[in-house]
Amino acid sequence: MVCKSNDQTVKELERLQAILDSVSSAVFEISAEGDIIFANQAAMHMFGYPLSEFKQMCFSDLVPDKYKQGHQKHIHQFFKANRVGEPFTALLKNTQKILVTINISASHNSQQNSVIATISESLTLKSAQDDLDRSNERLKVAKEAAQIGVWELNVKTGQLIWDSQMFLLYGREPSKFSDTVSEWNNALHPDDREITLKKFELTINEKTKFDTTFRIITPDKQVRYMRAYGHPLMDNNGQVFKVIGANYDLTENFIVQENLKESLKNNRILAKVAEETDNAIVLTDEKGKITWVNKEFIRVSGYQLHDVKGFSPGSILQGKDTDPHVVRDIRTALSNKQGFTAELLNYHKNGTPYWLRDKDIPIIALTANAMKGDDIKCLDAGMNDYLAKPFLSGQLAEILHKWVFLDRRQ
């Protein structure tokens, strides 16, 4: 028997090391306990660790936390049978994750039970992952733009998972989130809780889509309107084990709708006030042309709307004996935003003259903004009342009602 000298053994080891360092794939020797015994240069380049650090690590350190249990199980199986081309999610030193394939074969090391793992970055998986990452980025941008929150509920355990947008929608801190369905239950508005939970229960029992609207109360006591969709997932027994869904905020839409309802209601009030008053009311456009008249105007003047629409009030109502000085005084008072009392001769449609006695016609100030002290300035300038823009039509209706019916109250 020929024994190899120490020099020959060293040379063979150096030759083997050179061969292993020349290959492009990462090569590891892993003990039965999962400890890293050896790593070649490609492994150091791929994962970012020097050999000295590798020798202080377990193979599970190269696996993201959520995959560790599964891969640890596979390592023990690898000692019993070789694995070829197994897909693998690897964790680099810089915390980046890459998709690789791993080949496992038993080591012929007589000193300890171990395996040889050869790891290569999968170009096919990488390309698919890149496409998926791009799709996820587009989806993320779309979700953020639409302010859509995504949630997932494990029906059996009650675990609730929210993405970052859900926390923003519900006004909650992720650090204080208990990951249980009670978080959602407690956020529901008391008046909506029972019916919303019944609808969700129906989704689970009947395996139907969850599609509803409800209100929530945030920790700072804001009331928000939410639209929710949910899709049930079934297990092998046909039972719902998980529901994945989305929420988005409808609060702004509801506010617009409520304001519209209020505006329509107030417009009806305004129209009623204008129609029922015994004062003649004329509305004009910005050029002073008539756009609308009430019943009292029609009764007093004899003109229907179609007779006067598009004309100035003076061109219709004033005639040869109308005092131009009184007309001038009225225009001056209006221009100076001052109240006035005047008697003006007007003419009926049939040509009959009649006196219009305007008793202290009120002037309402409609200002573009509401700075402090504006109301006092307006009243000091001779205005009878003051209303800042923007305002609801109901507010204008109240002021008109106040001044139009002033004579009746007095």
Side-chain angles (χ1 to χ4, degrees), residues 282-314:
V282 178
L283 296 184
T284 68
D285 60 18
E286 66 279 2
K287 296 180 180 179
K289 305 300 182 182
I290 296 173
T291 60
W292 181 86
V293 296
N294 70 341
K295 292 178 183 177
E296 184 63 17
F297 174 88
I298 295 172
R299 188 191 69 79
V300 171
S301 69
Y303 290 100
Q304 297 290 331
L305 176 60
H306 64 267
D307 296 323
V308 298
K309 190 173 183 179
F311 294 91
S312 65

PDB file of all heavy atoms in Angstrom, residues 282-314:
ATOM      1  N   VAL A 282     -87.063  90.096  -8.074  1.00  0.00           N
ATOM      2  CA  VAL A 282     -86.508  89.946  -9.412  1.00  0.00           C
ATOM      3  C   VAL A 282     -85.058  89.491  -9.276  1.00  0.00           C
ATOM      4  O   VAL A 282     -84.292  90.078  -8.505  1.00  0.00           O
ATOM      5  CB  VAL A 282     -86.555  91.287 -10.189  1.00  0.00           C
ATOM      6  CG1 VAL A 282     -85.915  91.117 -11.563  1.00  0.00           C
ATOM      7  CG2 VAL A 282     -87.976  91.784 -10.301  1.00  0.00           C
ATOM      8  N   LEU A 283     -84.701  88.452 -10.018  1.00  0.00           N
ATOM      9  CA  LEU A 283     -83.308  88.003 -10.059  1.00  0.00           C
ATOM     10  C   LEU A 283     -82.731  88.366 -11.422  1.00  0.00           C
ATOM     11  O   LEU A 283     -83.396  88.190 -12.451  1.00  0.00           O
ATOM     12  CB  LEU A 283     -83.216  86.488  -9.848  1.00  0.00           C
ATOM     13  CG  LEU A 283     -83.687  85.939  -8.493  1.00  0.00           C
ATOM     14  CD1 LEU A 283     -83.436  84.439  -8.418  1.00  0.00           C
ATOM     15  CD2 LEU A 283     -82.994  86.656  -7.341  1.00  0.00           C
ATOM     16  N   THR A 284     -81.503  88.866 -11.406  1.00  0.00           N
ATOM     17  CA  THR A 284     -80.838  89.225 -12.660  1.00  0.00           C
ATOM     18  C   THR A 284     -79.498  88.533 -12.762  1.00  0.00           C
ATOM     19  O   THR A 284     -78.959  88.024 -11.774  1.00  0.00           O
ATOM     20  CB  THR A 284     -80.620  90.751 -12.753  1.00  0.00           C
ATOM     21  OG1 THR A 284     -79.648  91.135 -11.775  1.00  0.00           O
ATOM     22  CG2 THR A 284     -81.914  91.508 -12.525  1.00  0.00           C
ATOM     23  N   ASP A 285     -78.940  88.514 -13.969  1.00  0.00           N
ATOM     24  CA  ASP A 285     -77.592  87.987 -14.147  1.00  0.00           C
ATOM     25  C   ASP A 285     -76.586  89.094 -13.859  1.00  0.00           C
ATOM     26  O   ASP A 285     -76.966  90.199 -13.427  1.00  0.00           O
ATOM     27  CB  ASP A 285     -77.421  87.407 -15.554  1.00  0.00           C
ATOM     28  CG  ASP A 285     -77.648  88.442 -16.648  1.00  0.00           C
ATOM     29  OD1 ASP A 285     -77.598  89.667 -16.354  1.00  0.00           O
ATOM     30  OD2 ASP A 285     -77.881  88.040 -17.805  1.00  0.00           O
ATOM     31  N   GLU A 286     -75.293  88.799 -14.131  1.00  0.00           N
ATOM     32  CA  GLU A 286     -74.252  89.771 -13.809  1.00  0.00           C
ATOM     33  C   GLU A 286     -74.329  91.030 -14.670  1.00  0.00           C
ATOM     34  O   GLU A 286     -73.754  92.065 -14.342  1.00  0.00           O
ATOM     35  CB  GLU A 286     -72.860  89.131 -13.962  1.00  0.00           C
ATOM     36  CG  GLU A 286     -72.464  88.744 -15.378  1.00  0.00           C
ATOM     37  CD  GLU A 286     -73.048  87.405 -15.816  1.00  0.00           C
ATOM     38  OE1 GLU A 286     -73.802  86.800 -15.016  1.00  0.00           O
ATOM     39  OE2 GLU A 286     -72.746  86.967 -16.938  1.00  0.00           O
ATOM     40  N   LYS A 287     -75.089  90.976 -15.776  1.00  0.00           N
ATOM     41  CA  LYS A 287     -75.249  92.141 -16.649  1.00  0.00           C
ATOM     42  C   LYS A 287     -76.518  92.928 -16.333  1.00  0.00           C
ATOM     43  O   LYS A 287     -76.838  93.894 -17.023  1.00  0.00           O
ATOM     44  CB  LYS A 287     -75.270  91.701 -18.108  1.00  0.00           C
ATOM     45  CG  LYS A 287     -73.968  91.075 -18.572  1.00  0.00           C
ATOM     46  CD  LYS A 287     -74.048  90.650 -20.031  1.00  0.00           C
ATOM     47  CE  LYS A 287     -72.736  90.014 -20.481  1.00  0.00           C
ATOM     48  NZ  LYS A 287     -72.791  89.579 -21.899  1.00  0.00           N
ATOM     49  N   GLY A 288     -77.242  92.495 -15.299  1.00  0.00           N
ATOM     50  CA  GLY A 288     -78.445  93.213 -14.921  1.00  0.00           C
ATOM     51  C   GLY A 288     -79.670  92.824 -15.719  1.00  0.00           C
ATOM     52  O   GLY A 288     -80.691  93.517 -15.677  1.00  0.00           O
ATOM     53  N   LYS A 289     -79.611  91.709 -16.444  1.00  0.00           N
ATOM     54  CA  LYS A 289     -80.745  91.238 -17.226  1.00  0.00           C
ATOM     55  C   LYS A 289     -81.566  90.252 -16.392  1.00  0.00           C
ATOM     56  O   LYS A 289     -81.010  89.394 -15.702  1.00  0.00           O
ATOM     57  CB  LYS A 289     -80.276  90.552 -18.514  1.00  0.00           C
ATOM     58  CG  LYS A 289     -79.356  91.430 -19.374  1.00  0.00           C
ATOM     59  CD  LYS A 289     -80.041  92.716 -19.821  1.00  0.00           C
ATOM     60  CE  LYS A 289     -79.127  93.545 -20.722  1.00  0.00           C
ATOM     61  NZ  LYS A 289     -79.741  94.824 -21.131  1.00  0.00           N
ATOM     62  N   ILE A 290     -82.895  90.359 -16.490  1.00  0.00           N
ATOM     63  CA  ILE A 290     -83.798  89.543 -15.669  1.00  0.00           C
ATOM     64  C   ILE A 290     -83.692  88.071 -16.045  1.00  0.00           C
ATOM     65  O   ILE A 290     -83.726  87.704 -17.232  1.00  0.00           O
ATOM     66  CB  ILE A 290     -85.257  90.018 -15.834  1.00  0.00           C
ATOM     67  CG1 ILE A 290     -85.409  91.454 -15.311  1.00  0.00           C
ATOM     68  CG2 ILE A 290     -86.220  89.085 -15.097  1.00  0.00           C
ATOM     69  CD1 ILE A 290     -86.775  92.068 -15.576  1.00  0.00           C
ATOM     70  N   THR A 291     -83.552  87.215 -15.026  1.00  0.00           N
ATOM     71  CA  THR A 291     -83.523  85.760 -15.234  1.00  0.00           C
ATOM     72  C   THR A 291     -84.700  85.060 -14.569  1.00  0.00           C
ATOM     73  O   THR A 291     -85.057  83.943 -14.947  1.00  0.00           O
ATOM     74  CB  THR A 291     -82.211  85.164 -14.672  1.00  0.00           C
ATOM     75  OG1 THR A 291     -82.130  85.444 -13.262  1.00  0.00           O
ATOM     76  CG2 THR A 291     -80.998  85.735 -15.391  1.00  0.00           C
ATOM     77  N   TRP A 292     -85.304  85.719 -13.546  1.00  0.00           N
ATOM     78  CA  TRP A 292     -86.416  85.080 -12.836  1.00  0.00           C
ATOM     79  C   TRP A 292     -87.203  86.139 -12.072  1.00  0.00           C
ATOM     80  O   TRP A 292     -86.635  87.131 -11.596  1.00  0.00           O
ATOM     81  CB  TRP A 292     -85.870  84.030 -11.851  1.00  0.00           C
ATOM     82  CG  TRP A 292     -86.926  83.280 -11.076  1.00  0.00           C
ATOM     83  CD1 TRP A 292     -87.592  82.167 -11.478  1.00  0.00           C
ATOM     84  CD2 TRP A 292     -87.406  83.586  -9.760  1.00  0.00           C
ATOM     85  NE1 TRP A 292     -88.478  81.749 -10.505  1.00  0.00           N
ATOM     86  CE2 TRP A 292     -88.383  82.606  -9.432  1.00  0.00           C
ATOM     87  CE3 TRP A 292     -87.123  84.589  -8.835  1.00  0.00           C
ATOM     88  CZ2 TRP A 292     -89.064  82.603  -8.228  1.00  0.00           C
ATOM     89  CZ3 TRP A 292     -87.806  84.587  -7.625  1.00  0.00           C
ATOM     90  CH2 TRP A 292     -88.762  83.592  -7.326  1.00  0.00           C
ATOM     91  N   VAL A 293     -88.529  85.925 -11.983  1.00  0.00           N
ATOM     92  CA  VAL A 293     -89.400  86.789 -11.179  1.00  0.00           C
ATOM     93  C   VAL A 293     -90.351  85.906 -10.388  1.00  0.00           C
ATOM     94  O   VAL A 293     -90.660  84.783 -10.802  1.00  0.00           O
ATOM     95  CB  VAL A 293     -90.206  87.772 -12.066  1.00  0.00           C
ATOM     96  CG1 VAL A 293     -89.283  88.731 -12.800  1.00  0.00           C
ATOM     97  CG2 VAL A 293     -91.095  87.005 -13.051  1.00  0.00           C
ATOM     98  N   ASN A 294     -90.823  86.398  -9.248  1.00  0.00           N
ATOM     99  CA  ASN A 294     -91.762  85.602  -8.449  1.00  0.00           C
ATOM    100  C   ASN A 294     -93.210  85.971  -8.777  1.00  0.00           C
ATOM    101  O   ASN A 294     -93.497  86.856  -9.609  1.00  0.00           O
ATOM    102  CB  ASN A 294     -91.463  85.757  -6.965  1.00  0.00           C
ATOM    103  CG  ASN A 294     -91.800  87.136  -6.434  1.00  0.00           C
ATOM    104  OD1 ASN A 294     -91.929  88.088  -7.210  1.00  0.00           O
ATOM    105  ND2 ASN A 294     -91.931  87.259  -5.120  1.00  0.00           N
ATOM    106  N   LYS A 295     -94.148  85.293  -8.120  1.00  0.00           N
ATOM    107  CA  LYS A 295     -95.581  85.496  -8.402  1.00  0.00           C
ATOM    108  C   LYS A 295     -96.028  86.925  -8.103  1.00  0.00           C
ATOM    109  O   LYS A 295     -96.861  87.485  -8.822  1.00  0.00           O
ATOM    110  CB  LYS A 295     -96.405  84.520  -7.563  1.00  0.00           C
ATOM    111  CG  LYS A 295     -96.249  83.069  -7.945  1.00  0.00           C
ATOM    112  CD  LYS A 295     -97.089  82.199  -7.006  1.00  0.00           C
ATOM    113  CE  LYS A 295     -96.905  80.722  -7.323  1.00  0.00           C
ATOM    114  NZ  LYS A 295     -97.675  79.872  -6.367  1.00  0.00           N
ATOM    115  N   GLU A 296     -95.487  87.500  -7.026  1.00  0.00           N
ATOM    116  CA  GLU A 296     -95.909  88.841  -6.638  1.00  0.00           C
ATOM    117  C   GLU A 296     -95.529  89.870  -7.695  1.00  0.00           C
ATOM    118  O   GLU A 296     -96.283  90.823  -7.971  1.00  0.00           O
ATOM    119  CB  GLU A 296     -95.310  89.216  -5.284  1.00  0.00           C
ATOM    120  CG  GLU A 296     -95.770  90.556  -4.737  1.00  0.00           C
ATOM    121  CD  GLU A 296     -97.268  90.612  -4.471  1.00  0.00           C
ATOM    122  OE1 GLU A 296     -97.916  89.538  -4.399  1.00  0.00           O
ATOM    123  OE2 GLU A 296     -97.796  91.732  -4.338  1.00  0.00           O
ATOM    124  N   PHE A 297     -94.374  89.682  -8.311  1.00  0.00           N
ATOM    125  CA  PHE A 297     -93.965  90.571  -9.403  1.00  0.00           C
ATOM    126  C   PHE A 297     -94.955  90.462 -10.562  1.00  0.00           C
ATOM    127  O   PHE A 297     -95.365  91.477 -11.155  1.00  0.00           O
ATOM    128  CB  PHE A 297     -92.548  90.232  -9.876  1.00  0.00           C
ATOM    129  CG  PHE A 297     -92.118  91.009 -11.088  1.00  0.00           C
ATOM    130  CD1 PHE A 297     -91.521  92.239 -10.958  1.00  0.00           C
ATOM    131  CD2 PHE A 297     -92.331  90.503 -12.370  1.00  0.00           C
ATOM    132  CE1 PHE A 297     -91.139  92.973 -12.077  1.00  0.00           C
ATOM    133  CE2 PHE A 297     -91.943  91.221 -13.491  1.00  0.00           C
ATOM    134  CZ  PHE A 297     -91.349  92.459 -13.346  1.00  0.00           C
ATOM    135  N   ILE A 298     -95.350  89.227 -10.894  1.00  0.00           N
ATOM    136  CA  ILE A 298     -96.303  89.013 -11.994  1.00  0.00           C
ATOM    137  C   ILE A 298     -97.643  89.690 -11.675  1.00  0.00           C
ATOM    138  O   ILE A 298     -98.262  90.327 -12.537  1.00  0.00           O
ATOM    139  CB  ILE A 298     -96.489  87.509 -12.248  1.00  0.00           C
ATOM    140  CG1 ILE A 298     -95.172  86.885 -12.748  1.00  0.00           C
ATOM    141  CG2 ILE A 298     -97.620  87.256 -13.247  1.00  0.00           C
ATOM    142  CD1 ILE A 298     -95.198  85.381 -12.848  1.00  0.00           C
ATOM    143  N   ARG A 299     -98.086  89.567 -10.404  1.00  0.00           N
ATOM    144  CA  ARG A 299     -99.364  90.166 -10.002  1.00  0.00           C
ATOM    145  C   ARG A 299     -99.323  91.687 -10.075  1.00  0.00           C
ATOM    146  O   ARG A 299    -100.252  92.335 -10.577  1.00  0.00           O
ATOM    147  CB  ARG A 299     -99.724  89.724  -8.585  1.00  0.00           C
ATOM    148  CG  ARG A 299    -101.134  90.138  -8.145  1.00  0.00           C
ATOM    149  CD  ARG A 299    -101.321  89.912  -6.667  1.00  0.00           C
ATOM    150  NE  ARG A 299    -100.518  90.839  -5.872  1.00  0.00           N
ATOM    151  CZ  ARG A 299    -100.868  92.121  -5.650  1.00  0.00           C
ATOM    152  NH1 ARG A 299    -101.967  92.632  -6.179  1.00  0.00           N
ATOM    153  NH2 ARG A 299    -100.077  92.896  -4.919  1.00  0.00           N
ATOM    154  N   VAL A 300     -98.228  92.254  -9.566  1.00  0.00           N
ATOM    155  CA  VAL A 300     -98.129  93.712  -9.505  1.00  0.00           C
ATOM    156  C   VAL A 300     -97.918  94.324 -10.882  1.00  0.00           C
ATOM    157  O   VAL A 300     -98.534  95.345 -11.228  1.00  0.00           O
ATOM    158  CB  VAL A 300     -96.992  94.131  -8.542  1.00  0.00           C
ATOM    159  CG1 VAL A 300     -96.727  95.629  -8.634  1.00  0.00           C
ATOM    160  CG2 VAL A 300     -97.320  93.729  -7.123  1.00  0.00           C
ATOM    161  N   SER A 301     -97.045  93.712 -11.685  1.00  0.00           N
ATOM    162  CA  SER A 301     -96.653  94.325 -12.956  1.00  0.00           C
ATOM    163  C   SER A 301     -97.478  93.859 -14.147  1.00  0.00           C
ATOM    164  O   SER A 301     -97.548  94.568 -15.168  1.00  0.00           O
ATOM    165  CB  SER A 301     -95.179  94.036 -13.246  1.00  0.00           C
ATOM    166  OG  SER A 301     -95.007  92.652 -13.540  1.00  0.00           O
ATOM    167  N   GLY A 302     -98.056  92.658 -14.016  1.00  0.00           N
ATOM    168  CA  GLY A 302     -98.809  92.117 -15.148  1.00  0.00           C
ATOM    169  C   GLY A 302     -97.945  91.395 -16.152  1.00  0.00           C
ATOM    170  O   GLY A 302     -98.446  90.809 -17.126  1.00  0.00           O
ATOM    171  N   TYR A 303     -96.620  91.409 -15.948  1.00  0.00           N
ATOM    172  CA  TYR A 303     -95.695  90.748 -16.875  1.00  0.00           C
ATOM    173  C   TYR A 303     -95.402  89.308 -16.426  1.00  0.00           C
ATOM    174  O   TYR A 303     -95.151  89.060 -15.239  1.00  0.00           O
ATOM    175  CB  TYR A 303     -94.371  91.506 -16.962  1.00  0.00           C
ATOM    176  CG  TYR A 303     -94.455  92.834 -17.658  1.00  0.00           C
ATOM    177  CD1 TYR A 303     -94.525  94.023 -16.928  1.00  0.00           C
ATOM    178  CD2 TYR A 303     -94.447  92.901 -19.050  1.00  0.00           C
ATOM    179  CE1 TYR A 303     -94.597  95.253 -17.569  1.00  0.00           C
ATOM    180  CE2 TYR A 303     -94.513  94.137 -19.696  1.00  0.00           C
ATOM    181  CZ  TYR A 303     -94.595  95.304 -18.956  1.00  0.00           C
ATOM    182  OH  TYR A 303     -94.654  96.519 -19.588  1.00  0.00           O
ATOM    183  N   GLN A 304     -95.428  88.374 -17.380  1.00  0.00           N
ATOM    184  CA  GLN A 304     -94.956  87.012 -17.137  1.00  0.00           C
ATOM    185  C   GLN A 304     -93.438  86.974 -17.347  1.00  0.00           C
ATOM    186  O   GLN A 304     -92.846  87.905 -17.928  1.00  0.00           O
ATOM    187  CB  GLN A 304     -95.635  86.035 -18.105  1.00  0.00           C
ATOM    188  CG  GLN A 304     -97.142  85.949 -17.943  1.00  0.00           C
ATOM    189  CD  GLN A 304     -97.545  85.263 -16.645  1.00  0.00           C
ATOM    190  OE1 GLN A 304     -96.821  84.415 -16.127  1.00  0.00           O
ATOM    191  NE2 GLN A 304     -98.720  85.639 -16.123  1.00  0.00           N
ATOM    192  N   LEU A 305     -92.827  85.888 -16.907  1.00  0.00           N
ATOM    193  CA  LEU A 305     -91.369  85.780 -17.022  1.00  0.00           C
ATOM    194  C   LEU A 305     -90.921  85.897 -18.473  1.00  0.00           C
ATOM    195  O   LEU A 305     -89.924  86.566 -18.786  1.00  0.00           O
ATOM    196  CB  LEU A 305     -90.872  84.470 -16.407  1.00  0.00           C
ATOM    197  CG  LEU A 305     -89.372  84.182 -16.545  1.00  0.00           C
ATOM    198  CD1 LEU A 305     -88.554  85.274 -15.864  1.00  0.00           C
ATOM    199  CD2 LEU A 305     -89.027  82.815 -15.962  1.00  0.00           C
ATOM    200  N   HIS A 306     -91.651  85.225 -19.374  1.00  0.00           N
ATOM    201  CA  HIS A 306     -91.213  85.249 -20.778  1.00  0.00           C
ATOM    202  C   HIS A 306     -91.313  86.649 -21.381  1.00  0.00           C
ATOM    203  O   HIS A 306     -90.679  86.939 -22.411  1.00  0.00           O
ATOM    204  CB  HIS A 306     -92.030  84.253 -21.607  1.00  0.00           C
ATOM    205  CG  HIS A 306     -93.498  84.577 -21.704  1.00  0.00           C
ATOM    206  ND1 HIS A 306     -94.424  84.058 -20.830  1.00  0.00           N
ATOM    207  CD2 HIS A 306     -94.191  85.390 -22.554  1.00  0.00           C
ATOM    208  CE1 HIS A 306     -95.634  84.510 -21.155  1.00  0.00           C
ATOM    209  NE2 HIS A 306     -95.511  85.321 -22.188  1.00  0.00           N
ATOM    210  N   ASP A 307     -92.110  87.543 -20.747  1.00  0.00           N
ATOM    211  CA  ASP A 307     -92.215  88.919 -21.242  1.00  0.00           C
ATOM    212  C   ASP A 307     -90.978  89.753 -20.909  1.00  0.00           C
ATOM    213  O   ASP A 307     -90.629  90.678 -21.668  1.00  0.00           O
ATOM    214  CB  ASP A 307     -93.448  89.612 -20.645  1.00  0.00           C
ATOM    215  CG  ASP A 307     -94.759  88.981 -21.068  1.00  0.00           C
ATOM    216  OD1 ASP A 307     -94.853  88.557 -22.237  1.00  0.00           O
ATOM    217  OD2 ASP A 307     -95.672  88.907 -20.227  1.00  0.00           O
ATOM    218  N   VAL A 308     -90.367  89.442 -19.784  1.00  0.00           N
ATOM    219  CA  VAL A 308     -89.310  90.327 -19.274  1.00  0.00           C
ATOM    220  C   VAL A 308     -87.926  89.682 -19.266  1.00  0.00           C
ATOM    221  O   VAL A 308     -86.922  90.372 -19.066  1.00  0.00           O
ATOM    222  CB  VAL A 308     -89.656  90.782 -17.836  1.00  0.00           C
ATOM    223  CG1 VAL A 308     -90.947  91.585 -17.835  1.00  0.00           C
ATOM    224  CG2 VAL A 308     -89.771  89.583 -16.880  1.00  0.00           C
ATOM    225  N   LYS A 309     -87.850  88.368 -19.465  1.00  0.00           N
ATOM    226  CA  LYS A 309     -86.561  87.676 -19.391  1.00  0.00           C
ATOM    227  C   LYS A 309     -85.596  88.225 -20.439  1.00  0.00           C
ATOM    228  O   LYS A 309     -85.923  88.343 -21.627  1.00  0.00           O
ATOM    229  CB  LYS A 309     -86.752  86.172 -19.601  1.00  0.00           C
ATOM    230  CG  LYS A 309     -85.503  85.363 -19.306  1.00  0.00           C
ATOM    231  CD  LYS A 309     -85.803  83.867 -19.357  1.00  0.00           C
ATOM    232  CE  LYS A 309     -84.558  83.060 -18.984  1.00  0.00           C
ATOM    233  NZ  LYS A 309     -84.845  81.607 -19.011  1.00  0.00           N
ATOM    234  N   GLY A 310     -84.381  88.600 -19.960  1.00  0.00           N
ATOM    235  CA  GLY A 310     -83.369  89.157 -20.856  1.00  0.00           C
ATOM    236  C   GLY A 310     -83.383  90.674 -20.932  1.00  0.00           C
ATOM    237  O   GLY A 310     -82.497  91.270 -21.565  1.00  0.00           O
ATOM    238  N   PHE A 311     -84.389  91.311 -20.298  1.00  0.00           N
ATOM    239  CA  PHE A 311     -84.450  92.772 -20.270  1.00  0.00           C
ATOM    240  C   PHE A 311     -84.036  93.280 -18.894  1.00  0.00           C
ATOM    241  O   PHE A 311     -84.137  92.572 -17.898  1.00  0.00           O
ATOM    242  CB  PHE A 311     -85.875  93.259 -20.580  1.00  0.00           C
ATOM    243  CG  PHE A 311     -86.325  92.964 -21.987  1.00  0.00           C
ATOM    244  CD1 PHE A 311     -86.995  91.775 -22.285  1.00  0.00           C
ATOM    245  CD2 PHE A 311     -86.074  93.870 -23.009  1.00  0.00           C
ATOM    246  CE1 PHE A 311     -87.414  91.508 -23.580  1.00  0.00           C
ATOM    247  CE2 PHE A 311     -86.500  93.609 -24.305  1.00  0.00           C
ATOM    248  CZ  PHE A 311     -87.169  92.417 -24.591  1.00  0.00           C
ATOM    249  N   SER A 312     -83.616  94.543 -18.840  1.00  0.00           N
ATOM    250  CA  SER A 312     -83.334  95.152 -17.540  1.00  0.00           C
ATOM    251  C   SER A 312     -84.646  95.561 -16.895  1.00  0.00           C
ATOM    252  O   SER A 312     -85.597  95.934 -17.608  1.00  0.00           O
ATOM    253  CB  SER A 312     -82.419  96.358 -17.698  1.00  0.00           C
ATOM    254  OG  SER A 312     -83.093  97.378 -18.433  1.00  0.00           O
ATOM    255  N   PRO A 313     -84.770  95.516 -15.578  1.00  0.00           N
ATOM    256  CA  PRO A 313     -86.023  95.889 -14.912  1.00  0.00           C
ATOM    257  C   PRO A 313     -86.481  97.288 -15.283  1.00  0.00           C
ATOM    258  O   PRO A 313     -87.676  97.524 -15.511  1.00  0.00           O
ATOM    259  CB  PRO A 313     -85.673  95.774 -13.423  1.00  0.00           C
ATOM    260  CG  PRO A 313     -84.568  94.782 -13.374  1.00  0.00           C
ATOM    261  CD  PRO A 313     -83.776  95.017 -14.610  1.00  0.00           C
ATOM    262  N   GLY A 314     -85.558  98.263 -15.370  1.00  0.00           N
ATOM    263  CA  GLY A 314     -85.936  99.651 -15.679  1.00  0.00           C
ATOM    264  C   GLY A 314     -86.550  99.798 -17.043  1.00  0.00           C
ATOM    265  O   GLY A 314     -87.498 100.581 -17.248  1.00  0.00           O
TER     266      GLY A 314
END
